[in-house]
Amino acid sequence: MKKLHFIFLCFICSMYSLVYAQTGVSVSPPRLYFESGLGNSGTQMITVTNVSAKNSLDLAVSLGDWEYNDKGENLMSAAGTLPVSCAGWISVKKEDNYFTLAPGQRKDIDVTVTVPNTLSDQLSAHTAVLYVSQMNPVDDVDNKGANIKVSIRSGIKIFHKLPSANTKKIEIKNLIFEKSAKTLNLFFENQGNVWIDGKVSGDLVNTQTGKKISIDQIIFYTMPGNKREIDIPLPASLEKGKYTASVLIDYGDSNNLEVGELKFTYE
């Protein structure tokens, strides 16, 4: 007899369409960005779609908090527990808190952020996450033929900033060569007052031969005050020799560039 398993799948902060056998839900867009002053409200819409071919889904909306760790990974917390939380400012209509979607059916949900008249902190940017969770696990079969029950939770990151939050500043703190891991380790900090998304790129120049090799681009996301470490793997085919590494952080336009340089020996 095949064993019965329960699987709870949680996918956060990206437009997600799961088709695991015949069960799935899509929630879009992946992120909502709000800007409003004290005492003001803003509303944006998300769309929830049941992409299942045969299963109706009972879905519930809830809220939580999130933050990045120093590697840029998402850490989830209960609503209202992080200093940057705006979960208490977010609301949806009563009829959208819990609803059912038939196979192929979609539903638009208005998400409203209402900023308090006064803030208890000095932050100009806040975040939260809105979850859409399946409440009725459905029977399915995994790729080994075992019976399972599938339940899905998808999340949308919510960002809010005050109109005064317009300072973007990234500063490189260190760039080192990690010999054992064969990586360049880049350390930088978001010193602005708003979230900053950008990309890390660069070149390696062999100072003995003049040969230049480009570094694969790496995308990053940060919130104000975040200290970040990015490990940049060196190409497997990199020849031994003396190198100059130039690393560029691009987070906007020509006025938003940060450059770091390092000389190292690759043996």
Side-chain angles (χ1 to χ4, degrees), residues 45-263:
M45 185 179 69
I46 63 171
T47 300
V48 182
T49 304
N50 180 358
V51 300
S52 303
K54 62 179 181 179
N55 296 309
S56 292
L57 300 180
D58 296 334
L59 300 168
V61 171
S62 60
L63 295 166
D65 285 349
W66 66 272
E67 61 183 340
Y68 295 120
N69 65 12
D70 59 2
K71 293 288 188 178
E73 300 165 332
N74 295 313
L75 301 178
M76 316 313 294
S77 302
T81 58
L82 295 181
V84 296
S85 178
C86 64
W89 308 354
I90 300 170
S91 62
V92 300
K93 296 176 183 176
K94 184 177 180 180
E95 60 268 25
D96 293 337
N97 281 311
Y98 187 89
F99 55 94
T100 298
L101 293 181
Q105 186 178 7
R106 66 174 55 189
K107 180 180 179 63
D108 294 332
I109 296 177
D110 287 334
V111 179
T112 299
V113 174
T114 302
V115 186
N117 292 319
T118 59
L119 298 181
S120 58
D121 57 56
Q122 301 298 315
L123 302 174
S124 55
H126 296 79
T127 60
V129 59
L130 184 144
Y131 294 113
V132 178
S133 304
Q134 181 184 348
M135 307 305 291
N136 60 328
V138 297
D139 295 325
D140 218 319
V141 178
D142 67 12
N143 56 10
K144 295 183 180 180
N147 294 324
I148 60 174
K149 282 189 176 293
V150 177
S151 182
I152 301 160
R153 182 170 75 168
S154 184
I156 293 176
K157 280 182 175 176
I158 295 177
F159 298 76
H160 178 274
K161 77 180 193 71
L162 298 175
S164 59
N166 50 28
T167 302
K168 291 188 175 183
K169 179 175 173 55
I170 291 287
E171 182 171 302
I172 293 177
K173 293 298 185 180
N174 205 358
L175 178 62
I176 64 175
F177 170 52
E178 182 58 51
K179 183 178 179 179
S180 59
K182 297 181 179 180
T183 61
L184 298 176
N185 295 348
L186 174 65
F187 299 83
F188 62 94
E189 183 177 353
N190 180 344
Q191 295 183 346
N193 61 6
V194 70
W195 52 82
I196 298 177
D197 306 340
K199 55 189 177 184
V200 175
S201 60
D203 297 303
L204 302 172
V205 177
N206 188 316
T207 58
Q208 296 164 303
T209 66
K211 183 178 181 180
K212 183 168 71 172
I213 300 174
S214 295
I215 296 172
D216 290 339
Q217 191 176 97
I218 300 173
I219 305 298
F220 70 88
Y221 305 92
T222 63
M223 291 297 296
N226 280 181
K227 296 180 179 180
R228 184 59 45 79
E229 176 185 354
I230 291 181
D231 300 330
I232 304 172
L234 297 178
S237 59
L238 190 67
E239 300 174 353
K240 294 181 180 180
K242 296 182 182 298
Y243 286 87
T244 297
S246 298
V247 175
L248 173 69
I249 301 180
D250 183 348
Y251 55 101
D253 51 34
S254 58
N255 295 320
N256 292 320
L257 298 174
E258 182 79 358
V259 180
E261 190 172 278
L262 173 70
K263 297 183 184 297

